[in-house]
């Protein structure tokens, strides 16, 4: 288990993280979401022992991050924000150095490095110095360093930031592959990533926890949850006809698309389908919406700002 208890960090007058408490079970991919400056990276730095909390603490697999920081760090892999330090080292040197810092020597060290290099597809850049790598490759070197020792807890600060679409896909697969049995915490600004990858999401703003839910639970808070969207020639006629359904609460036309919102009475999707059949409209697209995370995110974080 990972347990944060009233984790708090001040920078002078700024309260960057404000009494964050949460518990994470193995098998979880927890996503930290929040606007820039919300306190996501600061929380991750405290969890991984790179920044001391002003008050509060956390426990990682039974090790308190303040009293027992060496043991806590041993069970964690951490991808910090930005590029890896030691830019003047080659990728091979840097990873060998990181493996030695984790206590591996000789063949075992080489094996650990080789495996991480394979997983992040770094073979072609092993001889290149880190400072000369592209942004995405720097990110991948950072990830290789984080997973070197196969830690049970991974804290990854924007793991797919700057990666090309193929590598985004690879890194998400890697995280998914590693997730059973492990505790993985990621931060991200890519909302589709939350849906694709996370089993749980925490929305943070101004250092405070505003929502803690499954991606599905967040989607259920969207006004688009179970709405029906249509693209058809008879837009205006359909809007007034469908707006009269007892299953519909309201209709909206936006950019050539009609969306009907559910009243909560009966099955809206079926009712809309029935009307389409009866009227013989020329429908090119019908969709039952699961909800829109960007709208939920905006609502939750804006409400807080107001
Ligand atoms: N060393 C520091 N000294 C002073 N203020 C800091 C320091 N580190 C972070 N902060 C401030 O703390 C707040 C939280 O920053 P943090 O980096 O945790 O945000 P974040 O949620 O990771 O944002 P982003 O999405 O932009 O990465 C910000 O207002 C930031 O300016
Ligand atoms: Mg950050």
């Amino acid at each position: 288990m990972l347990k944060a208890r009233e984790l708090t960090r001040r920078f002078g007058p700024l309260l960057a993280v404000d009494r964050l408490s949460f518990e994470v079970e193995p098998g979880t991919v927890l996503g930290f979401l929040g606007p820039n400056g919300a306190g996501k990276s600061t929380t991750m730095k405290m969890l991984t022992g790179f920044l001391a909390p002003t008050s509060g603490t956390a426990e990682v697999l039974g090790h308190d991050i303040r009293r027992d920081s060496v043991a806590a760090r041993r069970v964690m892999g951490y991808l910090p924000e930005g590029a890896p330090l030691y830019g003047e080292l080659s990728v091979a040197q840097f990873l060998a150095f990181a493996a030695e810092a984790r206590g591996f020597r000789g063949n075992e060290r080489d094996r650990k490095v080789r495996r991480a290099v394979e997983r992040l597809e770094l073979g072609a850049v092993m001889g290149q110095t880190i400072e000369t790598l592209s942004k995405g490759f720097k990110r991948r070197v950072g990830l290789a360093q984080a997973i070197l020792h196969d830690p049970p807890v991974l804290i990854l600060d924007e793991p797919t930031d700057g990666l090309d679409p193929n590598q985004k896909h690879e890194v998400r697969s890697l995280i998914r592959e590693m997730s059973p049995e492990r505790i993985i915490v990621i931060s991200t600004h890519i909302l589709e990533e939350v849906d694709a990858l996370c089993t749980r999401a925490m929305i943070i703003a101004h250092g405070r926890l505003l929502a803690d839910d499954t991606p599905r639970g967040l989607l259920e808070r969207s006004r688009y949850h179970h709405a029906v969207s249509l693209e058809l020639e008879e837009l205006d006629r359909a809007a007034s006809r469908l707006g009269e359904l007892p299953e519909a609460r309201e209709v909206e036309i936006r950019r050539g698309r009609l969306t009907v919102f559910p009243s909560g009475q009966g099955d809206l999707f079926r009712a809309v389908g029935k009307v389409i059949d009866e009227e013989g409209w020329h429908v090119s697209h019908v969709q039952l919406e699961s909800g829109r995370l960007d709208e939920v995110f905006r609502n939750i974080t804006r409400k807080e700002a107001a």
Side-chain angles (χ1 to χ4, degrees), residues 176-190:
R176 219 175 282 122
E177 208 177 282
M178 296 180 74
S179 65
E181 319 272 306
R182 285 194 177 74
I183 290 171
I184 304 182
V185 182
I186 69 165
S187 65
T188 182
H189 290 294
I190 308 171

Side-chain angles (χ1 to χ4, degrees), residues 10-191:
R10 286 184 175 279
F11 294 109
L14 175 77
L15 191 51
V17 176
D18 187 4
R19 289 163 298 157
L20 272 194
S21 296
F22 54 91
E23 299 192 354
V24 195
E25 310 252 8
T28 306
V29 181
L30 169 63
F32 280 177
L33 308 181
N36 293 134
K40 304 178 296 294
S41 296
T42 303
T43 302
M44 291 177 145
K45 284 177 200 161
M46 289 193 281
L47 290 175
T48 50
F50 283 81
L51 192 66
T54 306
S55 62
T57 189
E59 207 177 85
V60 187
L61 307 185
H63 309 294
D64 187 283
I65 56 162
R66 307 185 81 161
R67 284 198 320 264
D68 207 1
S69 76
V70 174
R73 279 162 94 147
R74 200 169 290 143
V75 296
M76 280 188 274
Y78 172 44
L79 171 71
E81 58 188 343
L85 301 171
Y86 311 108
E88 73 285 0
L89 295 186
S90 71
V91 174
Q93 286 169 330
F94 172 72
L95 291 177
F97 168 77
E100 295 203 350
R102 290 287 181 189
F104 302 113
R105 298 287 181 274
N107 284 340
E108 196 184 17
R109 174 196 63 202
D110 297 343
R111 240 192 352 264
K112 298 281 183 194
V113 170
R114 216 178 309 126
R115 178 147 172 74
V117 165
E118 277 165 20
R119 292 183 112 168
L120 277 309
E121 301 183 54
L122 291 169
V125 297
M126 288 300 276
Q128 207 173 320
T129 59
I130 290 172
E131 62 199 357
T132 65
L133 293 175
S134 70
K135 179 173 161 190
F137 270 102
K138 283 181 185 147
R139 218 66 204 125
R140 283 152 66 180
V141 171
L143 274 162
Q145 165 277 131
I147 65 164
L148 258 182
H149 55 304
D150 227 3
V153 179
L154 275 167
I155 310 287
L156 308 175
D157 200 346
E158 300 193 38
T160 62
D161 180 41
L163 300 189
D164 68 52
N166 295 335
Q167 283 301 321
K168 272 198 172 81
H169 180 81
E170 291 301 320
V171 166
R172 285 175 196 161
S173 305
L174 175 65
I175 291 173
R176 219 175 282 122
E177 208 177 282
M178 296 180 74
S179 65
E181 319 272 306
R182 285 194 177 74
I183 290 171
I184 304 182
V185 182
I186 69 165
S187 65
T188 182
H189 290 294
I190 308 171
L191 294 177

